Amino acid sequence: MSESVSTYAWEITDEEVAARHGVPLERILRYDMNTSPVAPALVAERLGQPFWPPLNEYPWTDYRALTEAAAAHVGARREEILVGCGADEVLDMCTRAFLRAGEAAVIPVPTYAMFLVVVEQRGGRVVTVPRRPAEEGFGVDVEALAEAVAREDARLVFLCRPNNPTGSIEPRAAVLELLARIPGATVVVDEAYAEFAGDSLVSERERLPNLVVVRTLSKAFGLAGVRVGYAVASRLRIAEIERFRPPGSISTVSATIGEAALRRPDAMRATVARLAAERERFAERLRSLGWLVHPSVANFLLVRPDGSGPAAAVAARMLARGMVPRTFDLRHPLADHLRLTVRTPEDDDRLVAVFAAEEVRP
Ligand code: PMP
């Protein structure tokens, strides 16, 4: 494999944080993963039920029950859904289906790092287009994107909505304009955080056959460890991606829990409401420290820790107490920022206290 291929920088493990910073394992708080602070109760309920599909057998390759549950959740038909081992595998399948080696994929940045990785791993060319600055809400420049697609004869565009790591959401009209202007390219809209934003482009799939929406159970459903994601698109687009779907990448255990969660979205809705309230409270507390906190519709906040020192020093101070922020390397346009997952009020207050006069030093 070529040495120039981007690799995803795997997150440091809890064990490594504990060993490196001398913090007890149970004190470690992940502010870097954008996951839910707890798994929903239905997982324990489902695990405790007497009937399980036989684990000595392979899962049925059509994942019918899981696929139907995902279809019901988003208001689509079964043929308009494709399930995978997390959104990441679905993104990879989309790349394999729609991009050949040497072809260009256009990606507005900053955004989810995995888009670049999957394109480069498949031998594609990454063409990045900068998003507008923070003062303009990190929006995409539709004109520049359409121009890049035409210039590079790009086959694929990746758009994260809401965007990780900015927490911003692209106005619907801008995405629809882009989709209409580039009918020859497939636009993969990563909606990993859509349930938090309460807005989705799923309803546009029939009118816009070049749209593929990608969703996951890792965020609002609180099931990152279960590894279930899915694509929603027109029947024909799904059939094209289907050719690259492995027969059994979702375990029977995960498919069963994922189905149960999708059939009971009440638990997810409660998580979303709780985290939205906590997001605003946490943001206010961080602002009271003097930090710049960008508006967010997701379960994380992009912050610049003004007044508390450079981002790297703030990150080091957090790590010394077992709190792990998402940092950006020096060449990244957000190098002076941190991304913080919204957790529980108790956890978040522990973080704020580190930078407020109120911290009681051990
Ligand atoms: N898309 C985005 C925008 C994400 O932030 C993440 C996880 N950080 C993923 C996809 C990966 O989702 P999954 O756990 O379903 O693979």
Side-chain angles (χ1 to χ4, degrees), residues 274-292:
R274 206 175 49 244
L275 288 175
E278 175 53 12
R279 178 183 67 217
E280 298 314 310
R281 195 197 68 92
F282 189 27
E284 261 328 293
R285 294 222 60 201
L286 294 169
R287 286 193 186 106
S288 73
L289 297 173
W291 292 19
L292 173 72

PDB file of all heavy atoms in Angstrom, residues 274-292:
ATOM      1  N   ARG A 274     -32.281  15.220  26.899  1.00  0.00           N
ATOM      2  CA  ARG A 274     -31.399  15.434  28.046  1.00  0.00           C
ATOM      3  C   ARG A 274     -30.084  16.088  27.605  1.00  0.00           C
ATOM      4  O   ARG A 274     -29.603  17.042  28.205  1.00  0.00           O
ATOM      5  CB  ARG A 274     -31.127  14.081  28.716  1.00  0.00           C
ATOM      6  CG  ARG A 274     -30.781  14.183  30.171  1.00  0.00           C
ATOM      7  CD  ARG A 274     -30.629  12.830  30.848  1.00  0.00           C
ATOM      8  NE  ARG A 274     -29.767  11.907  30.118  1.00  0.00           N
ATOM      9  CZ  ARG A 274     -30.169  10.764  29.586  1.00  0.00           C
ATOM     10  NH1 ARG A 274     -31.423  10.379  29.702  1.00  0.00           N
ATOM     11  NH2 ARG A 274     -29.333   9.980  28.936  1.00  0.00           N
ATOM     12  N   LEU A 275     -29.513  15.576  26.518  1.00  0.00           N
ATOM     13  CA  LEU A 275     -28.217  16.099  26.073  1.00  0.00           C
ATOM     14  C   LEU A 275     -28.342  17.495  25.474  1.00  0.00           C
ATOM     15  O   LEU A 275     -27.421  18.306  25.592  1.00  0.00           O
ATOM     16  CB  LEU A 275     -27.558  15.128  25.082  1.00  0.00           C
ATOM     17  CG  LEU A 275     -27.033  13.833  25.721  1.00  0.00           C
ATOM     18  CD1 LEU A 275     -26.502  12.891  24.650  1.00  0.00           C
ATOM     19  CD2 LEU A 275     -25.945  14.105  26.750  1.00  0.00           C
ATOM     20  N   ALA A 276     -29.486  17.803  24.864  1.00  0.00           N
ATOM     21  CA  ALA A 276     -29.669  19.161  24.306  1.00  0.00           C
ATOM     22  C   ALA A 276     -29.709  20.177  25.447  1.00  0.00           C
ATOM     23  O   ALA A 276     -29.094  21.246  25.355  1.00  0.00           O
ATOM     24  CB  ALA A 276     -30.949  19.223  23.486  1.00  0.00           C
ATOM     25  N   ALA A 277     -30.402  19.832  26.528  1.00  0.00           N
ATOM     26  CA  ALA A 277     -30.471  20.747  27.671  1.00  0.00           C
ATOM     27  C   ALA A 277     -29.088  20.900  28.295  1.00  0.00           C
ATOM     28  O   ALA A 277     -28.642  22.005  28.619  1.00  0.00           O
ATOM     29  CB  ALA A 277     -31.478  20.226  28.700  1.00  0.00           C
ATOM     30  N   GLU A 278     -28.397  19.779  28.445  1.00  0.00           N
ATOM     31  CA  GLU A 278     -27.064  19.822  29.050  1.00  0.00           C
ATOM     32  C   GLU A 278     -26.069  20.558  28.141  1.00  0.00           C
ATOM     33  O   GLU A 278     -25.180  21.260  28.620  1.00  0.00           O
ATOM     34  CB  GLU A 278     -26.572  18.406  29.372  1.00  0.00           C
ATOM     35  CG  GLU A 278     -25.143  18.296  29.891  1.00  0.00           C
ATOM     36  CD  GLU A 278     -24.813  19.188  31.086  1.00  0.00           C
ATOM     37  OE1 GLU A 278     -25.725  19.757  31.708  1.00  0.00           O
ATOM     38  OE2 GLU A 278     -23.604  19.344  31.373  1.00  0.00           O
ATOM     39  N   ARG A 279     -26.242  20.433  26.832  1.00  0.00           N
ATOM     40  CA  ARG A 279     -25.339  21.125  25.896  1.00  0.00           C
ATOM     41  C   ARG A 279     -25.400  22.634  26.150  1.00  0.00           C
ATOM     42  O   ARG A 279     -24.368  23.304  26.241  1.00  0.00           O
ATOM     43  CB  ARG A 279     -25.770  20.821  24.462  1.00  0.00           C
ATOM     44  CG  ARG A 279     -24.919  21.539  23.418  1.00  0.00           C
ATOM     45  CD  ARG A 279     -25.447  21.250  22.030  1.00  0.00           C
ATOM     46  NE  ARG A 279     -26.756  21.827  21.818  1.00  0.00           N
ATOM     47  CZ  ARG A 279     -27.738  21.258  21.113  1.00  0.00           C
ATOM     48  NH1 ARG A 279     -27.559  20.095  20.536  1.00  0.00           N
ATOM     49  NH2 ARG A 279     -28.910  21.861  20.983  1.00  0.00           N
ATOM     50  N   GLU A 280     -26.602  23.169  26.296  1.00  0.00           N
ATOM     51  CA  GLU A 280     -26.738  24.619  26.478  1.00  0.00           C
ATOM     52  C   GLU A 280     -26.199  25.049  27.842  1.00  0.00           C
ATOM     53  O   GLU A 280     -25.564  26.086  27.971  1.00  0.00           O
ATOM     54  CB  GLU A 280     -28.200  25.044  26.292  1.00  0.00           C
ATOM     55  CG  GLU A 280     -28.738  24.749  24.886  1.00  0.00           C
ATOM     56  CD  GLU A 280     -27.776  25.181  23.760  1.00  0.00           C
ATOM     57  OE1 GLU A 280     -27.303  26.338  23.785  1.00  0.00           O
ATOM     58  OE2 GLU A 280     -27.481  24.355  22.864  1.00  0.00           O
ATOM     59  N   ARG A 281     -26.445  24.206  28.866  1.00  0.00           N
ATOM     60  CA  ARG A 281     -25.950  24.536  30.208  1.00  0.00           C
ATOM     61  C   ARG A 281     -24.422  24.502  30.229  1.00  0.00           C
ATOM     62  O   ARG A 281     -23.756  25.413  30.739  1.00  0.00           O
ATOM     63  CB  ARG A 281     -26.519  23.523  31.219  1.00  0.00           C
ATOM     64  CG  ARG A 281     -26.402  23.928  32.681  1.00  0.00           C
ATOM     65  CD  ARG A 281     -26.584  22.720  33.598  1.00  0.00           C
ATOM     66  NE  ARG A 281     -25.451  21.794  33.464  1.00  0.00           N
ATOM     67  CZ  ARG A 281     -24.361  21.825  34.225  1.00  0.00           C
ATOM     68  NH1 ARG A 281     -24.253  22.711  35.199  1.00  0.00           N
ATOM     69  NH2 ARG A 281     -23.372  20.955  34.023  1.00  0.00           N
ATOM     70  N   PHE A 282     -23.855  23.449  29.656  1.00  0.00           N
ATOM     71  CA  PHE A 282     -22.395  23.259  29.587  1.00  0.00           C
ATOM     72  C   PHE A 282     -21.767  24.425  28.810  1.00  0.00           C
ATOM     73  O   PHE A 282     -20.765  25.018  29.235  1.00  0.00           O
ATOM     74  CB  PHE A 282     -22.126  21.917  28.891  1.00  0.00           C
ATOM     75  CG  PHE A 282     -20.700  21.437  28.900  1.00  0.00           C
ATOM     76  CD1 PHE A 282     -19.793  21.789  29.904  1.00  0.00           C
ATOM     77  CD2 PHE A 282     -20.254  20.567  27.885  1.00  0.00           C
ATOM     78  CE1 PHE A 282     -18.488  21.309  29.883  1.00  0.00           C
ATOM     79  CE2 PHE A 282     -18.961  20.086  27.867  1.00  0.00           C
ATOM     80  CZ  PHE A 282     -18.068  20.462  28.865  1.00  0.00           C
ATOM     81  N   ALA A 283     -22.391  24.799  27.685  1.00  0.00           N
ATOM     82  CA  ALA A 283     -21.863  25.899  26.854  1.00  0.00           C
ATOM     83  C   ALA A 283     -21.823  27.185  27.681  1.00  0.00           C
ATOM     84  O   ALA A 283     -20.823  27.918  27.645  1.00  0.00           O
ATOM     85  CB  ALA A 283     -22.737  26.073  25.616  1.00  0.00           C
ATOM     86  N   GLU A 284     -22.884  27.446  28.425  1.00  0.00           N
ATOM     87  CA  GLU A 284     -22.934  28.667  29.225  1.00  0.00           C
ATOM     88  C   GLU A 284     -21.842  28.672  30.280  1.00  0.00           C
ATOM     89  O   GLU A 284     -21.181  29.682  30.534  1.00  0.00           O
ATOM     90  CB  GLU A 284     -24.313  28.802  29.913  1.00  0.00           C
ATOM     91  CG  GLU A 284     -25.250  29.730  29.195  1.00  0.00           C
ATOM     92  CD  GLU A 284     -24.558  30.894  28.487  1.00  0.00           C
ATOM     93  OE1 GLU A 284     -23.982  31.794  29.155  1.00  0.00           O
ATOM     94  OE2 GLU A 284     -24.572  30.879  27.245  1.00  0.00           O
ATOM     95  N   ARG A 285     -21.625  27.514  30.902  1.00  0.00           N
ATOM     96  CA  ARG A 285     -20.588  27.431  31.945  1.00  0.00           C
ATOM     97  C   ARG A 285     -19.196  27.636  31.336  1.00  0.00           C
ATOM     98  O   ARG A 285     -18.349  28.285  31.915  1.00  0.00           O
ATOM     99  CB  ARG A 285     -20.673  26.082  32.673  1.00  0.00           C
ATOM    100  CG  ARG A 285     -21.963  25.916  33.479  1.00  0.00           C
ATOM    101  CD  ARG A 285     -21.712  25.291  34.823  1.00  0.00           C
ATOM    102  NE  ARG A 285     -20.808  26.066  35.650  1.00  0.00           N
ATOM    103  CZ  ARG A 285     -20.118  25.593  36.680  1.00  0.00           C
ATOM    104  NH1 ARG A 285     -20.241  24.332  37.025  1.00  0.00           N
ATOM    105  NH2 ARG A 285     -19.308  26.345  37.372  1.00  0.00           N
ATOM    106  N   LEU A 286     -18.983  27.096  30.149  1.00  0.00           N
ATOM    107  CA  LEU A 286     -17.679  27.286  29.487  1.00  0.00           C
ATOM    108  C   LEU A 286     -17.504  28.744  29.066  1.00  0.00           C
ATOM    109  O   LEU A 286     -16.410  29.305  29.192  1.00  0.00           O
ATOM    110  CB  LEU A 286     -17.545  26.346  28.284  1.00  0.00           C
ATOM    111  CG  LEU A 286     -17.491  24.850  28.623  1.00  0.00           C
ATOM    112  CD1 LEU A 286     -17.623  23.997  27.362  1.00  0.00           C
ATOM    113  CD2 LEU A 286     -16.182  24.501  29.345  1.00  0.00           C
ATOM    114  N   ARG A 287     -18.596  29.352  28.616  1.00  0.00           N
ATOM    115  CA  ARG A 287     -18.519  30.782  28.240  1.00  0.00           C
ATOM    116  C   ARG A 287     -18.201  31.632  29.467  1.00  0.00           C
ATOM    117  O   ARG A 287     -17.491  32.616  29.375  1.00  0.00           O
ATOM    118  CB  ARG A 287     -19.838  31.248  27.613  1.00  0.00           C
ATOM    119  CG  ARG A 287     -20.020  30.736  26.208  1.00  0.00           C
ATOM    120  CD  ARG A 287     -21.165  31.427  25.459  1.00  0.00           C
ATOM    121  NE  ARG A 287     -21.342  30.759  24.171  1.00  0.00           N
ATOM    122  CZ  ARG A 287     -22.346  29.928  23.875  1.00  0.00           C
ATOM    123  NH1 ARG A 287     -23.307  29.708  24.757  1.00  0.00           N
ATOM    124  NH2 ARG A 287     -22.389  29.341  22.701  1.00  0.00           N
ATOM    125  N   SER A 288     -18.716  31.205  30.632  1.00  0.00           N
ATOM    126  CA  SER A 288     -18.465  31.992  31.850  1.00  0.00           C
ATOM    127  C   SER A 288     -16.982  31.932  32.248  1.00  0.00           C
ATOM    128  O   SER A 288     -16.498  32.760  33.000  1.00  0.00           O
ATOM    129  CB  SER A 288     -19.361  31.526  33.002  1.00  0.00           C
ATOM    130  OG  SER A 288     -18.899  30.277  33.474  1.00  0.00           O
ATOM    131  N   LEU A 289     -16.252  30.946  31.686  1.00  0.00           N
ATOM    132  CA  LEU A 289     -14.796  30.902  31.900  1.00  0.00           C
ATOM    133  C   LEU A 289     -14.075  31.852  30.940  1.00  0.00           C
ATOM    134  O   LEU A 289     -12.858  32.011  31.015  1.00  0.00           O
ATOM    135  CB  LEU A 289     -14.256  29.488  31.622  1.00  0.00           C
ATOM    136  CG  LEU A 289     -14.730  28.329  32.488  1.00  0.00           C
ATOM    137  CD1 LEU A 289     -14.193  27.015  31.927  1.00  0.00           C
ATOM    138  CD2 LEU A 289     -14.278  28.517  33.929  1.00  0.00           C
ATOM    139  N   GLY A 290     -14.806  32.396  29.996  1.00  0.00           N
ATOM    140  CA  GLY A 290     -14.198  33.252  28.975  1.00  0.00           C
ATOM    141  C   GLY A 290     -13.916  32.505  27.677  1.00  0.00           C
ATOM    142  O   GLY A 290     -13.339  33.062  26.738  1.00  0.00           O
ATOM    143  N   TRP A 291     -14.294  31.228  27.611  1.00  0.00           N
ATOM    144  CA  TRP A 291     -14.003  30.436  26.408  1.00  0.00           C
ATOM    145  C   TRP A 291     -14.961  30.818  25.281  1.00  0.00           C
ATOM    146  O   TRP A 291     -16.117  31.180  25.531  1.00  0.00           O
ATOM    147  CB  TRP A 291     -14.169  28.925  26.696  1.00  0.00           C
ATOM    148  CG  TRP A 291     -13.147  28.370  27.632  1.00  0.00           C
ATOM    149  CD1 TRP A 291     -12.350  29.068  28.504  1.00  0.00           C
ATOM    150  CD2 TRP A 291     -12.840  26.987  27.818  1.00  0.00           C
ATOM    151  NE1 TRP A 291     -11.562  28.203  29.214  1.00  0.00           N
ATOM    152  CE2 TRP A 291     -11.832  26.926  28.820  1.00  0.00           C
ATOM    153  CE3 TRP A 291     -13.302  25.796  27.250  1.00  0.00           C
ATOM    154  CZ2 TRP A 291     -11.293  25.706  29.244  1.00  0.00           C
ATOM    155  CZ3 TRP A 291     -12.776  24.593  27.677  1.00  0.00           C
ATOM    156  CH2 TRP A 291     -11.764  24.550  28.659  1.00  0.00           C
ATOM    157  N   LEU A 292     -14.459  30.690  24.058  1.00  0.00           N
ATOM    158  CA  LEU A 292     -15.322  30.855  22.895  1.00  0.00           C
ATOM    159  C   LEU A 292     -15.979  29.496  22.624  1.00  0.00           C
ATOM    160  O   LEU A 292     -15.284  28.485  22.465  1.00  0.00           O
ATOM    161  CB  LEU A 292     -14.489  31.278  21.681  1.00  0.00           C
ATOM    162  CG  LEU A 292     -15.256  31.331  20.360  1.00  0.00           C
ATOM    163  CD1 LEU A 292     -16.210  32.517  20.341  1.00  0.00           C
ATOM    164  CD2 LEU A 292     -14.293  31.411  19.178  1.00  0.00           C
TER     165      LEU A 292
END
